Amino acid sequence: MLYFSHLLEDEDTKAVIRETGMGVEAIEFAISENLNHLNEKIFSYQNRLKDMKCKNLILHGPFLDLNPMTFDDKIQAITRQRYEEAYTAAKALGAAKIVYHTCYVPDFYLLIGWAERMAAFFEEFLKDKDDSIEVLMENVLDRQWEPLKETAKRVQHPAFGLCLDIGHAHCYGEDSCAQWAKELKSYIRHVHIHDNMGNKDRHLALGEGSVDINAVMRELREIPKCTYTIECSTREAVMTSYEILKKYVCGIEIDKKQRKCYS
């Protein structure tokens, strides 16, 4: 299943849904101000989704100023509160998945004990939840894939998994994003798709940067029922990425010299 991020105006979002049948990954509930007026925003977004004829939904959770692995119990409490509020919205709107950032900041937070604390946070967060909504942890500034893998190993809940952001892995990771996909694919349930030149997180259309999408998709196509969100901020970039991505999802590898069908 393919999705695209609701970074576009509603009319453009509606047009892309009509043209492609893709679902939407909402960013409405990643914003703290909206969480302050949760019921009102759930109601208004419900109506917007209906107008856009969106049938498939994922939510992006809040992340600014939050930190799941913090040693400060008050910061952890507000992080959990914001996560709960976004989860409430996901439940009310019928979202299939909700994505939360790791919130890791290199050179500021130590990795010693990081996975243990992240796992403890998510196990507590998931204690009263069923598996109707997948709860996914996304890499952002993370340089190494090992802590994410260790966290995923430790969280013993059927709803928990990883969201691999290939653009983030490409410009922040120490290994290639194909290597990230290879090492994490046992836990990956969702993927964020965008491109860059490896030096800045630019959210370009596929093919406009230097991500080796062939190498990445060779790994990701082995994941059953994996879903993908195109994270680009213009309609043109979304459609360009869609035309490329749908070929991979259908089992076709794009190459400058040839196309090879895996099916």
Side-chain angles (χ1 to χ4, degrees), residues 97-109:
K97 310 184 183 197
I98 185 166
V99 178
Y100 297 104
H101 286 180
T102 63
C103 300
Y104 175 70
V105 180
D107 302 326
F108 187 77
Y109 299 128

Side-chain angles (χ1 to χ4, degrees), residues 16-65:
V16 171
I17 293 171
R18 184 175 62 248
E19 292 173 38
T20 67
M22 286 194 289
V24 165
E25 182 168 326
I27 61 167
E28 193 82 357
F29 301 94
I31 302 166
S32 60
E33 185 177 351
N34 291 340
L35 297 176
N36 289 341
H37 307 280
L38 188 60
N39 292 333
E40 176 188 335
K41 288 298 179 181
I42 290 173
F43 179 75
S44 65
Y45 199 67
Q46 215 162 23
N47 289 330
R48 289 166 64 193
L49 290 170
K50 188 181 298 183
D51 179 65
M52 292 183 288
K53 295 182 171 54
C54 174
K55 297 179 180 179
N56 297 289
L57 182 69
I58 288 175
L59 251 63
H60 198 304
F63 55 91
L64 290 174
D65 303 318

Side-chain angles (χ1 to χ4, degrees), residues 183-198:
E183 298 294 346
L184 298 177
K185 63 186 172 187
S186 296
Y187 303 98
I188 293 170
R189 302 191 185 184
H190 188 59
V191 181
H192 282 170
I193 298 288
H194 52 100
D195 211 337
N196 60 69
M197 296 304 296

Side-chain angles (χ1 to χ4, degrees), residues 79-261:
T79 299
R80 184 173 289 109
Q81 177 187 327
R82 291 309 199 190
Y83 280 28
E84 290 284 1
E85 289 164 348
Y87 188 92
T88 296
K91 201 80 169 176
L93 294 168
K97 310 184 183 197
I98 185 166
V99 178
Y100 297 104
H101 286 180
T102 63
C103 300
Y104 175 70
V105 180
D107 302 326
F108 187 77
Y109 299 128
L110 297 176
L111 282 173
I112 299 171
W114 184 88
E116 291 89 336
R117 294 188 65 80
M118 288 293 285
F121 175 90
F122 277 108
E123 287 203 313
E124 182 66 25
F125 177 71
L126 289 162
K127 188 180 290 185
D128 62 347
K129 296 174 177 62
D130 57 25
D131 60 356
S132 59
I133 299 175
E134 293 185 12
V135 174
L136 309 176
M137 186 176 72
E138 175 195 351
N139 61 297
V140 187
L141 300 176
D142 309 77
R143 293 172 180 163
Q144 301 169 1
W145 50 264
E146 290 91 342
L148 283 81
K149 188 171 186 177
E150 182 62 29
T151 301
K153 281 182 180 179
R154 288 173 175 271
V155 178
Q156 299 300 307
H157 193 286
F160 188 77
L162 298 179
C163 169
L164 173 65
D165 188 300
I166 65 170
H168 294 161
H170 186 55
C171 67
Y172 299 122
E174 294 174 354
D175 293 323
S176 69
C177 44
Q179 187 70 19
W180 280 66
K182 179 180 179 179
E183 298 294 346
L184 298 177
K185 63 186 172 187
S186 296
Y187 303 98
I188 293 170
R189 302 191 185 184
H190 188 59
V191 181
H192 282 170
I193 298 288
H194 52 100
D195 211 337
N196 60 69
M197 296 304 296
N199 58 357
K200 186 178 180 181
D201 185 21
R202 298 180 62 194
H203 286 257
L204 301 173
L206 283 178
E208 293 184 359
S210 55
V211 168
D212 186 349
I213 191 64
N214 282 336
V216 173
M217 292 305 296
R218 286 186 202 116
E219 302 296 339
L220 295 178
R221 68 186 179 88
E222 297 179 5
I223 303 172
K225 298 181 181 179
C226 188
T227 53
Y228 303 83
T229 291
I230 297 167
E231 280 199 325
C232 299
S233 57
T234 69
R235 181 173 169 182
E236 293 75 18
V238 169
M239 292 304 298
T240 296
S241 299
Y242 168 75
E243 291 300 330
I244 294 172
L245 184 60
K246 72 177 181 179
K247 293 180 170 65
Y248 288 106
V249 174
C250 292
I252 299 173
E253 180 174 331
I254 310 274
D255 187 82
K256 291 180 180 179
K257 296 181 180 179
Q258 61 181 354
R259 294 184 179 183
K260 179 181 178 183
C261 183

